[in-house]
Amino acid sequence: MKRDPYANNLQVRPDGTLRHFLSIEGLDQALLTRVLDTAESFDAASQKNVRKLPLLRGKTVLNLFFEPSTRTRTTFDLAARRLSADVVNLDINASSAVKGESLLDTLRTLEAMRSDLFVIRHPQAGAAEFFARHVPEGVAVLNAGDGRHAHPTQAMLDLFTIRRHRPDLENLVVVIVGDVAHSRVARSQIQVLNLFGVRQVRVVGPATLIPSGVEQMGVHLYSSLDDAMVDADVVIGLRLQKERMRGPLLTSSEEYYQRYGITAKRLTLARPECLVMHPGPMNRGIEIDSEVADGPQSTVLEQVRNGLAVRMAIMALTMGAGPGLATESGQ
Amino acid sequence: MKRDPYANNLQVRPDGTLRHFLSIEGLDQALLTRVLDTAESFDAASQKNVRKLPLLRGKTVLNLFFEPSTRTRTTFDLAARRLSADVVNLDINASSAVKGESLLDTLRTLEAMRSDLFVIRHPQAGAAEFFARHVPEGVAVLNAGDGRHAHPTQAMLDLFTIRRHRPDLENLVVVIVGDVAHSRVARSQIQVLNLFGVRQVRVVGPATLIPSGVEQMGVHLYSSLDDAMVDADVVIGLRLQKERMRGPLLTSSEEYYQRYGITAKRLTLARPECLVMHPGPMNRGIEIDSEVADGPQSTVLEQVRNGLAVRMAIMALTMGAGPGLATESGQ
Amino acid sequence: MKRDPYANNLQVRPDGTLRHFLSIEGLDQALLTRVLDTAESFDAASQKNVRKLPLLRGKTVLNLFFEPSTRTRTTFDLAARRLSADVVNLDINASSAVKGESLLDTLRTLEAMRSDLFVIRHPQAGAAEFFARHVPEGVAVLNAGDGRHAHPTQAMLDLFTIRRHRPDLENLVVVIVGDVAHSRVARSQIQVLNLFGVRQVRVVGPATLIPSGVEQMGVHLYSSLDDAMVDADVVIGLRLQKERMRGPLLTSSEEYYQRYGITAKRLTLARPECLVMHPGPMNRGIEIDSEVADGPQSTVLEQVRNGLAVRMAIMALTMGAGPGLATESGQ
């Protein structure tokens, strides 16, 4: 899995602890398991109505969103506050981008203000890594989505959600449906599911929305969703990123729904308790039927909830503040 | 007054405490008096330079503004902070609305992040109630203005302001001037003033801006402001919601001012200490003369100040955290 | 230096302490030295990883930005949080400006919400002073840039940066290069450098970007940057405010760079350790060469870092909360 050896150095400290969180690639199962376990402990605290933990008291988190987002930004914001950090949100559009400052100068300027943790979403692949290469020791960078490259916190919260229901990851067949070509979520999901040794990851979608050579990512390509659903334990619908598509990749929403929509009928082809997942926001009636989205097998809202705990865990660990960290040995 | 019996169930818990705050309709005088009294205690604390109260420590308030607003959003923001809550502001335009998520999915997503209190302003009537119907027990929804329907926190701060100056509410003649048809503020004011038994509520404005059948709301309709001012104890100027009007409802600002502007001369027709109120922002020289707006009878800034205490009270009570609540009996 | 005697009254309390911070004009060296010394103590605390000071606990800071800004707003935001204040950020464009409220009404409304400190950036000269004239005793106003008039916190952080490297201010030759005519930064810098008695302030830039009569501000005007650099101890590049210029004031960026760009070659004309400063954001290759901007003599990022400490100091002092204030005598 380590085609990207430098990433390992960038994301992990010599003592094996997490320094940045940029992509699944370059991280190993032991470290990511620690993320999941830390998230479990935060979620347990939250269930007991412990709403604020003092782990990041006095730390400053900068949320840098170069793309708009309600959901993801709010989750990072809330996660940081529950760790008692100060949070500054920056939507970089109407501000320094207006004045034409380079990304590196923006970064250096913000860094000079002595922030401890940057959360960055950016339309260009590699933006978070670029930041990580330029911040000093002690400052962490979290990738909240960079172009089509990666969205690793989403993949981790998906894995967290699956593991809760099905700790026997090695037995699972997971189906990913939809616009894989434009999805940073799918890329990160495929990586993490393979790293954790799920039995099979299947990918299905319109030929124009499946990247060529996708099998080299360690997935099985299907052309029919009905076929892919057979024996599935988990089905993940991807958001149809309309705004990312150029030209006539799709004929119509209706046709998409006919062929790739996750419907109640299709769900009967899968294993009885097959989980239905979606990173949101959902296009109901296109990627997924409302009956399924709101049904008992859907984990859509649970994913959002888990996103908080997982992001808290990643923030705490990169800041060297995870609970129980002292008693755990390095990677 | 309870034409809307379901609203009672939605806003009030079985033990008579406040669950949501969506509209005056459905609430009774005892409960709203508790809001006013709680606000008094918060204002007294503020006067003594007690700036932060720990009542909502660890709670998260989400300010969801689907319409822009400096004034109202900032007041809710400050009110929540003075109760030691964490506040996340979401202007939902450039974010999830871009991606076309439904209101219900946005709500469920935000709810899944374990917020405790939603403050919502939305251009559609009923949006806050819609939210309230879908949040779980323990989560409160406050209406910060929904379409033309209601703006109940504004009505409460107006009532609070009047009561401070004139606790003998049953003796008062209150005049509401202007664009009643498009005003959620006016609707909520009329309801709360009648509920508290003021002697008379008078309404006056251009015929095109007065809803037909307004008398059924329990008001006296006047066609001349000069007539309406006679014996008035309170006169409330409404904001001319230019952006809400369609077509030729008004001839000109000048004509409006001539006929419906609150001027020093008109004020002489009222009782000597007649209060002059306006929810803001004021269009000076249209709805109100600057001399009056800044004069000794104006409560415009006092209303803003009181808005903080009233919103703190509503937040605290819906969260079950009001001071002295333990010693008060239920509704 | 006190051509503006009223400003003295407005900015300084009768006991000689700082009330507002609107412009360098009207303040004296003793008071500004106290700002610098306070900033030193905050910076020292920050170096020792004391990230939060309780000096403004319970106070509310309103950041009112009528012009977009990442850098300055974020610095004020962080400075206030490190003093434990609550911070509310208001970008006034999409909000009350939409509704056409006057600046004074906006101010009064925000003031009625019981804020303690306003930070204001506004495209009109005099806006901050206008605010200061209308807030009650106990509320402070900080100018974060008003039109072409002043940007005094920027000038103070520049002075702070220079003093750290060269406490012998009276020996220094400081060169200011560029668009002096449109620069509020330059105006404030010239004032503070003269107030602190630097040996010589030189100004150089295209004739169209130098205000006529600039020598009356106490500077030496040069037409050639090469000439101005001789014996310089500090060179400050101003940002080319493209958005502020109207008409054909400049022929081209290339020509500007040829004549007024701060390059490594030009730097050799100055004193050996000449500091290179820029308020940011930099237009690399126009005002400054990247080799110089990122070189050992550049203080660009140090200026940003110092901006935090200096703004913390100004906030604390105007709130009567500076460390060691009790033991210092008045002005």
Side-chain angles (χ1 to χ4, degrees):
Chain A
M1 278 314 291
K2 299 193 181 170
R3 275 164 296 172
D4 213 347
Y6 67 81
N8 188 56
N9 300 332
L10 193 58
Q11 295 194 87
V12 184
R13 290 197 194 85
D15 68 356
T17 57
L18 193 62
R19 184 175 172 197
H20 301 295
F21 200 71
L22 310 171
S23 69
I24 299 300
E25 222 170 359
L27 299 175
D28 67 18
Q29 196 177 350
L31 197 48
L32 294 178
T33 298
R34 195 183 307 163
V35 170
L36 298 178
D37 294 345
T38 303
E40 287 287 359
S41 77
F42 287 149
D43 193 65
S46 172
Q47 300 287 1
K48 286 182 219 148
N49 279 317
V50 180
R51 298 297 283 276
K52 299 273 268 192
L53 298 166
L55 295 170
L56 298 195
R57 190 173 302 288
K59 303 280 188 189
T60 303
V61 173
L62 254 68
N63 262 341
L64 305 178
F65 276 68
F66 294 84
E67 288 180 346
S69 162
T70 298
R71 176 187 297 255
T72 306
R73 199 188 67 174
T74 305
T75 320
F76 276 107
D77 188 338
L78 290 172
R81 287 166 193 254
R82 291 199 181 150
L83 294 168
S84 306
D86 282 318
V87 184
V88 175
N89 289 302
L90 290 176
D91 286 328
I92 315 236
N93 274 320
S95 50
S96 90
V98 168
K99 295 191 174 173
E101 190 177 38
S102 77
L103 188 60
L104 182 57
D105 278 337
T106 299
L107 159 68
R108 282 175 172 158
T109 300
L110 295 171
E111 192 276 304
M113 295 177 196
R114 293 196 172 124
S115 296
D116 301 284
L117 202 152
F118 290 101
V119 176
I120 176 170
R121 167 167 288 192
H122 198 282
Q124 286 196 299
E129 183 187 318
F130 177 83
F131 262 54
R133 293 199 173 282
H134 289 91
V135 294
E137 188 55 41
V139 174
V141 177
L142 273 52
N143 184 2
D146 62 328
R148 298 186 198 174
H149 173 240
H151 193 356
T153 63
Q154 177 71 43
M156 286 304 288
L157 74 89
D158 292 335
L159 180 65
F160 180 89
T161 305
I162 295 171
R163 193 180 78 156
R164 277 217 160 164
H165 290 270
R166 297 292 304 270
D168 59 326
L169 294 169
E170 66 283 4
N171 296 329
L172 304 187
V173 171
V174 180
V175 181
I176 299 174
V177 196
D179 182 5
V180 176
H182 301 84
S183 174
R184 54 196 177 204
V185 173
R187 282 181 58 90
S188 291
Q189 284 167 338
I190 291 167
Q191 288 167 357
V192 88
L193 290 168
N194 278 318
L195 184 61
F196 276 77
V198 303
R199 184 153 69 93
Q200 199 171 83
V201 180
R202 298 174 182 172
V203 157
V204 59
T208 49
L209 299 180
I210 301 294
S212 62
V214 70
E215 294 92 339
Q216 290 159 30
M217 294 177 72
V219 300
H220 295 251
L221 180 59
Y222 282 71
S223 56
S224 150
L225 178 54
D226 287 346
D227 291 348
M229 289 296 283
V230 175
D231 290 334
D233 298 286
V234 178
V235 56
I236 302 174
L238 297 175
R239 179 173 175 78
L240 207 53
Q241 302 280 8
K242 291 172 198 169
E243 67 271 27
R244 292 230 187 94
M245 290 185 290
R246 297 281 174 270
L249 297 184
L250 290 174
T251 50
S252 73
S253 298
E254 292 73 21
E255 189 187 328
Y256 185 90
Y257 180 67
Q258 285 302 322
R259 297 191 57 191
Y260 303 105
I262 305 175
T263 60
K265 190 173 166 206
R266 282 202 171 103
L267 203 51
T268 63
L269 301 172
R271 290 280 169 95
E273 312 234 305
C274 176
L275 302 177
V276 178
M277 305 181 73
H278 192 290
M282 295 182 283
N283 292 306
R284 290 163 178 268
I286 301 178
E287 302 129 20
I288 192 164
D289 188 57
S290 273
E291 189 187 345
V292 176
D294 303 330
Q297 290 168 260
S298 168
T299 65
V300 172
L301 295 177
E302 195 186 330
Q303 287 169 267
V304 176
R305 206 173 297 125
N306 293 340
L308 257 183
V310 167
R311 284 164 181 135
M312 286 172 73
I314 294 167
M315 287 178 163
L317 289 169
T318 55
M319 291 286 102
L325 199 70
T327 61
E328 285 179 55
S329 60
Q331 183 187 11
Chain B
M1 278 313 293
K2 298 194 181 172
R3 276 165 295 175
D4 212 346
Y6 68 80
N8 188 56
N9 299 330
L10 193 58
Q11 294 194 87
V12 184
R13 292 199 193 82
D15 68 357
T17 56
L18 193 63
R19 184 175 171 195
H20 300 296
F21 199 72
L22 309 172
S23 69
I24 299 300
E25 223 172 357
L27 298 176
D28 66 18
Q29 197 178 349
L31 197 47
L32 295 178
T33 298
R34 195 183 306 165
V35 170
L36 298 178
D37 294 345
T38 303
E40 287 287 1
S41 78
F42 286 150
D43 192 65
S46 173
Q47 301 287 3
K48 285 183 220 148
N49 278 317
V50 180
R51 296 299 283 275
K52 300 272 269 192
L53 298 167
L55 295 170
L56 298 196
R57 190 173 300 289
K59 304 278 188 189
T60 303
V61 173
L62 252 68
N63 262 341
L64 304 179
F65 276 68
F66 293 84
E67 288 180 346
S69 164
T70 298
R71 177 186 297 255
T72 307
R73 199 187 66 174
T74 305
T75 320
F76 276 108
D77 188 338
L78 290 172
R81 287 165 193 254
R82 291 198 182 151
L83 295 168
S84 306
D86 281 317
V87 184
V88 175
N89 290 302
L90 290 176
D91 286 329
I92 316 235
N93 275 321
S95 50
S96 89
V98 167
K99 294 190 174 175
E101 191 177 36
S102 77
L103 188 60
L104 183 57
D105 279 337
T106 299
L107 159 66
R108 283 175 171 157
T109 299
L110 295 171
E111 192 277 303
M113 293 176 196
R114 293 196 172 125
S115 295
D116 299 286
L117 202 152
F118 289 100
V119 176
I120 175 169
R121 167 167 287 193
H122 198 281
Q124 287 196 299
E129 182 187 318
F130 178 83
F131 262 55
R133 294 199 172 283
H134 288 92
V135 295
E137 188 54 42
V139 174
V141 177
L142 272 52
N143 185 3
D146 61 329
R148 298 186 198 173
H149 174 240
H151 193 356
T153 62
Q154 177 71 43
M156 286 304 289
L157 73 90
D158 292 335
L159 180 65
F160 180 90
T161 305
I162 294 171
R163 194 179 75 154
R164 278 215 159 166
H165 291 268
R166 296 293 304 269
D168 59 327
L169 294 169
E170 66 283 3
N171 296 329
L172 304 186
V173 171
V174 180
V175 181
I176 300 175
V177 197
D179 181 5
V180 176
H182 301 84
S183 175
R184 53 194 177 206
V185 173
R187 282 181 58 89
S188 291
Q189 285 167 337
I190 291 167
Q191 287 168 358
V192 88
L193 291 169
N194 278 319
L195 184 62
F196 276 74
V198 302
R199 182 153 71 92
Q200 199 173 81
V201 180
R202 297 173 183 173
V203 156
V204 59
T208 48
L209 298 181
I210 300 295
S212 61
V214 71
E215 293 92 339
Q216 290 159 31
M217 294 178 72
V219 300
H220 293 252
L221 180 59
Y222 282 71
S223 56
S224 151
L225 178 54
D226 288 346
D227 293 348
M229 289 297 283
V230 175
D231 290 334
D233 300 285
V234 179
V235 56
I236 303 175
L238 297 176
R239 179 175 176 75
L240 208 52
Q241 302 280 8
K242 292 173 198 168
E243 65 273 27
R244 294 233 185 92
M245 289 186 292
R246 299 280 174 268
L249 297 184
L250 290 174
T251 51
S252 74
S253 298
E254 290 73 20
E255 189 187 329
Y256 185 91
Y257 180 67
Q258 286 300 322
R259 299 191 56 191
Y260 303 105
I262 304 174
T263 60
K265 191 176 165 203
R266 282 203 170 103
L267 202 50
T268 62
L269 303 171
R271 291 279 169 96
E273 312 234 306
C274 175
L275 302 177
V276 178
M277 305 181 72
H278 192 292
M282 295 182 284
N283 292 307
R284 290 161 178 268
I286 301 178
E287 302 129 20
I288 192 165
D289 188 56
S290 272
E291 189 187 346
V292 176
D294 303 330
Q297 290 168 259
S298 168
T299 66
V300 172
L301 295 178
E302 196 185 329
Q303 287 169 267
V304 176
R305 207 173 296 126
N306 293 340
L308 256 184
V310 167
R311 282 161 182 137
M312 286 171 74
I314 293 167
M315 288 178 163
L317 289 169
T318 55
M319 291 285 101
L325 199 69
T327 61
E328 284 178 56
S329 60
Q331 184 186 13
Chain C
M1 276 313 293
K2 298 194 182 171
R3 277 164 294 175
D4 211 349
Y6 67 82
N8 189 55
N9 301 331
L10 193 59
Q11 295 193 88
V12 184
R13 293 197 192 83
D15 68 356
T17 57
L18 193 63
R19 184 175 171 195
H20 301 294
F21 199 72
L22 309 172
S23 69
I24 299 300
E25 222 171 358
L27 298 176
D28 67 17
Q29 197 177 351
L31 197 47
L32 294 178
T33 298
R34 196 184 306 164
V35 170
L36 298 178
D37 293 345
T38 304
E40 286 287 359
S41 77
F42 287 150
D43 193 64
S46 172
Q47 301 287 1
K48 286 183 218 146
N49 278 317
V50 180
R51 298 297 282 276
K52 300 273 269 193
L53 298 166
L55 295 170
L56 298 195
R57 191 172 301 288
K59 304 279 188 190
T60 303
V61 174
L62 252 68
N63 263 341
L64 304 179
F65 275 68
F66 293 83
E67 288 180 346
S69 162
T70 297
R71 175 186 298 254
T72 307
R73 199 187 67 174
T74 304
T75 320
F76 276 108
D77 188 339
L78 290 172
R81 287 165 193 256
R82 290 197 184 151
L83 294 168
S84 305
D86 282 317
V87 184
V88 175
N89 289 303
L90 289 177
D91 286 328
I92 315 234
N93 274 321
S95 50
S96 88
V98 167
K99 295 191 174 173
E101 191 177 35
S102 77
L103 188 60
L104 183 57
D105 279 337
T106 299
L107 159 67
R108 284 175 170 157
T109 300
L110 295 171
E111 192 277 302
M113 294 177 196
R114 293 195 172 124
S115 295
D116 301 283
L117 200 152
F118 290 100
V119 177
I120 175 169
R121 166 166 287 192
H122 198 281
Q124 288 196 298
E129 184 188 317
F130 178 82
F131 262 56
R133 294 200 173 282
H134 288 92
V135 294
E137 188 53 42
V139 174
V141 177
L142 272 52
N143 184 2
D146 62 328
R148 299 187 197 173
H149 174 240
H151 193 356
T153 63
Q154 177 71 44
M156 285 304 289
L157 73 89
D158 292 335
L159 180 65
F160 181 90
T161 305
I162 294 171
R163 194 180 76 154
R164 277 217 159 164
H165 291 270
R166 296 292 304 269
D168 58 326
L169 293 168
E170 67 282 5
N171 295 329
L172 304 186
V173 170
V174 181
V175 181
I176 300 175
V177 196
D179 181 5
V180 175
H182 301 84
S183 175
R184 54 195 176 204
V185 172
R187 282 181 58 90
S188 291
Q189 284 167 339
I190 291 167
Q191 288 168 356
V192 88
L193 290 168
N194 278 319
L195 184 61
F196 276 76
V198 302
R199 183 153 70 94
Q200 198 173 82
V201 181
R202 298 173 181 173
V203 157
V204 59
T208 49
L209 299 181
I210 300 293
S212 61
V214 71
E215 294 91 340
Q216 290 158 30
M217 295 178 72
V219 300
H220 294 252
L221 181 58
Y222 282 70
S223 57
S224 150
L225 178 55
D226 287 347
D227 292 348
M229 290 295 283
V230 175
D231 290 333
D233 300 285
V234 179
V235 57
I236 303 175
L238 297 176
R239 179 174 175 77
L240 206 52
Q241 302 280 8
K242 290 173 198 169
E243 66 273 25
R244 294 232 185 91
M245 290 185 290
R246 299 280 174 271
L249 297 184
L250 289 175
T251 51
S252 73
S253 298
E254 290 72 21
E255 188 188 329
Y256 185 91
Y257 180 66
Q258 285 300 320
R259 298 190 56 192
Y260 302 105
I262 304 175
T263 61
K265 191 174 165 204
R266 282 203 170 101
L267 202 50
T268 61
L269 303 170
R271 291 281 169 94
E273 312 235 307
C274 176
L275 302 177
V276 178
M277 306 181 72
H278 192 290
M282 295 182 283
N283 292 306
R284 290 164 177 266
I286 300 178
E287 302 129 20
I288 192 164
D289 188 56
S290 272
E291 188 187 346
V292 177
D294 304 329
Q297 289 168 261
S298 168
T299 65
V300 172
L301 296 177
E302 196 186 329
Q303 286 168 268
V304 175
R305 206 174 298 125
N306 293 340
L308 257 183
V310 167
R311 283 163 181 136
M312 286 172 72
I314 293 166
M315 288 178 164
L317 289 169
T318 55
M319 291 285 101
L325 200 68
T327 61
E328 284 177 57
S329 60
Q331 185 185 12

